[in-house]
Amino acid sequence: GLSADNPSFFGNLTTAGSVDYRIPAIELAGATINASYTYDPSANAAPASKGAVAATSVDGDAMTLQIDHESGVSIGGGVETVNDGQGKTLASDTERTTAYVKYSNGPLTVAYQEAYNNVVNATGVEGADQEAEFWGISYTAGDMSFSYGESTLMTKGVSNTAAGAEIELESIQASYTMGAMTLSAALSETANTGGTAGAKYEETQIAVSFAF
C-alpha cells in the first residue's frame, strides 16, 4: 500500500486483480479522447489464489477520462468507488476523485492536479477524509532538463480528532546528457512527515548512467 506521506491515493484501491477496459482513442476537433473503466471484485486486495475472492471482500470500480488537445492543453479526471458501506447503518462508500490540467509548449510543461478521498462513513464508523494537491513544472533545453514538483496532503478532522498537520513534499531535479552518459541529481524534502508538525525528511540523490 501507499505510505502515509504519499498523496497519490487515487486508483490505489482497484489496481490488483482487476479488469480494465480502455476505449480506442477518439479524434474530435483537434482533440484526442481516451477513457477507461476498471472493475475489481476484491478492492484493496491482491488477487486470491486460483482466482478465488475472499468472503470478506467488497468490490469497487473506477472510471477515467482524458482529453489531449493539439494546442498543448490536456485535461482529465476520474472517480473511484469501493462498495464498503454495505451492511452498515447510514453508510456512505469510500469514493476517491481527481482532476488535472496540463499545458505543454515546446520545452516547457506545467501541470496542476487535485484529489479528494471521501473515506467510508457509517454509524460508529467515521472516516477522516483526505485532500491532496499537486503542481509541477519542467523545462528541457538541448541535453539539459530541469523540473520542480510540489504536493500537499491534508487529513481532515473528525468529531474530537483534530486535523493532521499538512504534509508537504517538494522535489527539484536536473539532468545532463553527454553522449552515452547521463548525470542526474535530485533534492527532495518532506515537511510534517506522517502528519506530525515539525517532522522533516530530506533526501539527496546523485546518479551517473551509461547507455551502450
Side-chain angles (χ1 to χ4, degrees):
L2 296 175
S3 73
D5 294 327
N6 194 333
S8 302
F9 50 73
F10 178 81
N12 185 53
L13 296 176
T14 54
T15 56
S18 56
V19 178
D20 186 74
Y21 175 73
R22 299 175 183 272
I23 67 169
I26 299 173
E27 303 290 337
L28 180 65
T32 301
I33 303 172
N34 288 280
S36 71
Y37 175 76
T38 299
Y39 174 74
D40 192 336
S42 185
N44 201 25
S49 60
K50 298 182 180 180
V53 177
T56 56
S57 296
V58 294
D59 65 340
D61 59 9
M63 294 176 286
T64 65
L65 176 66
Q66 177 182 341
I67 303 175
D68 300 315
H69 195 266
E70 60 187 11
S71 64
V73 176
S74 298
I75 60 173
V79 178
E80 179 184 40
T81 303
V82 175
N83 297 313
D84 49 5
Q86 298 174 359
K88 299 181 177 71
T89 304
L90 302 175
S92 63
D93 298 329
T94 295
E95 183 176 82
R96 296 176 170 183
T97 57
T98 190
Y100 73 88
V101 59
K102 181 174 71 174
Y103 176 67
S104 296
N105 186 356
L108 181 67
T109 298
V110 294
Y112 177 78
Q113 181 176 356
E114 289 187 355
Y116 197 87
N117 182 17
N118 186 12
V119 180
V120 61
N121 288 281
T123 301
V125 179
E126 197 171 18
D129 295 348
Q130 293 178 305
E131 187 176 83
E133 185 177 10
F134 316 76
W135 74 271
I137 183 170
S138 66
Y139 182 80
T140 301
D143 297 326
M144 303 187 70
S145 65
F146 305 89
S147 66
Y148 174 80
E150 183 175 318
S151 65
T152 59
L153 176 62
M154 169 64 76
T155 299
K156 306 292 185 177
V158 292
S159 295
N160 297 324
T161 302
E166 184 177 72
I167 300 169
E168 183 176 352
L169 291 81
E170 297 178 273
S171 180
I172 184 169
Q173 304 177 42
S175 68
Y176 174 68
T177 300
M178 183 174 59
M181 182 185 73
T182 299
L183 176 64
S184 60
L187 175 62
S188 303
E189 180 180 288
T190 302
N192 299 328
T193 305
T196 302
K200 182 180 290 189
Y201 174 79
E202 295 181 348
E203 182 176 336
T204 301
Q205 294 180 327
I206 299 177
V208 179
S209 60
F210 297 89
F212 299 97

